[in-house]
Amino acid sequence: MKKDSLTSKDRFESDDRRKIEILWTGGWDSTYRIVELSRQNVTIKPVYVIDSCRNSINYELNAMKKITKTLIDKSETKAEFMPLETIKVEDIPKDKEITNAYEKIIESVKLGSQYDWLARLAKNLYPGIEIGIEKPNGEYSGCKEAIEKFGKLIYDTDAYIIDRNSSSMECIQLFGNLRFPIIETTETEMQSNIFDWRQEEIMKSIWFCHSPIKGKICGYCRPCQQKMECEMQWLLPQDAQRRYYTFKKYPLFQEN
């Protein structure tokens, strides 16, 4: 695991603070939670998983570095930031029980392969780590469907967790070591909070694009489309918005 050198202001004392480990991707959901936590008297320990199959790693890391520095410099920030920890997917310990549970669940629910290594990460390295899964707002959520089909959520402090008394063993294996702070919060509700907190500029620094064009947000990959469809176009620069409208009108459009 690798630690970033960026830390918070010296004025903070962390001994009496509740430490919150959070999986941070640099995208909307997890950054929203980072902003939310920054307003609280807690210590934030961000964790980033390096997946070599993604071509947006450097963009995400740069976004997180910029966001952290900006938040630390804000007078209203109450939280302390620990250095960012990074770990490669291939370095996450194998766990046969978790992988078997994942394979069982995907027999009936469409669920991304990342939930296998997320569960292994949480069980073996970061028990209780937070994950930024939002409440679906018209979009399909494999995670939410899997939990509803195989288990039940209960509220614990400031996040939802798996109810071990009302969930299958597969559900406990896959989600039992994760905390879901925003799983009952929609993207629309998060956007409203961001405006209330006057943190729009922070959110403009996030990275969600899967197909950047010369280092810029593309406007037509699925994450870009989702932001436009949720009336969050303010997150995309004007040229990306134009590409979105062109792509929707001419689906075969490709940027040269």
Side-chain angles (χ1 to χ4, degrees):
M1 286 180 285
K2 181 181 177 182
K3 293 187 178 182
D4 194 286
S5 60
L6 190 60
T7 57
S8 57
K9 297 174 183 176
D10 293 336
R11 71 172 184 267
F12 293 126
E13 296 292 339
S14 62
D15 290 347
D16 59 347
R17 293 169 179 265
R18 183 165 59 94
K19 184 174 72 174
I20 297 177
E21 295 177 332
I22 177 171
L23 184 71
W24 195 9
T25 66
W28 172 270
D29 295 340
S30 56
T31 301
Y32 168 85
R33 179 58 173 164
I34 291 285
V35 171
E36 184 177 48
L37 289 172
S38 75
R39 301 164 58 83
Q40 303 175 25
N41 188 39
V42 298
T43 295
I44 302 171
K45 180 179 179 179
V47 178
Y48 178 79
V49 177
I50 299 174
D51 184 351
S52 58
C53 294
R54 295 172 61 86
N55 61 7
S56 55
I57 294 173
N58 289 334
Y59 300 108
E60 292 167 353
L61 288 171
N62 288 335
M64 289 184 283
K65 186 173 183 178
K66 180 180 179 180
I67 290 166
T68 304
K69 185 179 187 306
T70 303
L71 282 173
I72 288 173
D73 290 339
K74 282 182 171 288
S75 60
E76 63 266 34
T77 295
K78 297 178 181 179
E80 178 186 67
F81 284 81
M82 294 181 68
L84 176 71
E85 287 193 2
T86 61
I87 182 171
K88 295 180 180 178
V89 169
E90 55 267 30
D91 291 337
I92 298 173
K94 303 296 183 183
D95 192 301
K96 187 175 181 180
E97 289 183 342
I98 286 178
T99 299
N100 288 343
Y102 169 77
E103 291 175 349
K104 179 67 176 179
I105 286 178
I106 63 173
E107 289 177 2
S108 55
V109 177
K110 185 178 180 182
L111 197 63
S113 60
Q114 72 269 26
Y115 285 97
D116 179 13
W117 55 255
L118 278 172
R120 291 187 277 113
L121 177 83
K123 178 181 177 181
N124 296 290
L125 298 174
Y126 301 100
I129 191 171
E130 290 192 355
I131 180 172
I133 301 294
E134 66 180 33
K135 183 177 182 179
N137 193 13
E139 286 281 338
Y140 172 81
S141 172
C143 177
K144 195 75 157 55
E145 181 174 328
I147 292 174
E148 291 175 350
K149 185 178 180 65
F150 292 91
K152 180 182 178 182
L153 289 170
I154 56 174
Y155 194 72
D156 175 63
T157 311
D158 62 348
Y160 288 87
I161 61 173
I162 293 298
D163 183 352
R164 292 176 177 267
N165 295 320
S166 304
S167 302
S168 70
M169 184 54 63
E170 289 82 9
C171 185
I172 294 171
Q173 286 284 352
L174 207 58
F175 304 112
N177 289 295
L178 296 168
R179 293 177 63 83
F180 303 88
I182 59 172
I183 200 166
E184 293 298 336
T185 306
T186 66
E187 201 163 56
T188 301
E189 292 168 335
M190 286 189 275
Q191 182 174 208
S192 178
N193 288 336
I194 288 296
F195 290 150
D196 288 344
W197 299 334
R198 299 180 180 178
Q199 297 283 17
E200 300 97 311
E201 290 305 312
I202 286 285
M203 300 309 287
K204 285 182 180 179
S205 297
I206 66 172
W207 190 268
F208 50 85
C209 181
H210 285 177
S211 307
I213 298 173
K214 297 178 181 179
K216 304 294 183 180
I217 291 174
C218 73
Y220 51 73
C221 70
R222 188 54 196 152
C224 285
Q225 291 183 48
Q226 288 173 327
K227 294 297 177 287
M228 293 293 291
E229 291 163 3
C230 291
E231 299 183 353
M232 299 171 72
Q233 61 271 14
W234 55 276
L235 292 172
L236 285 76
Q238 289 296 319
D239 56 349
Q241 292 185 41
R242 286 193 294 270
R243 282 193 290 268
Y244 165 80
Y245 290 118
T246 302
F247 182 75
K248 297 303 285 187
K249 187 175 182 179
Y250 306 105
L252 297 181
F253 165 76
Q254 293 291 330
E255 183 76 12
N256 293 325

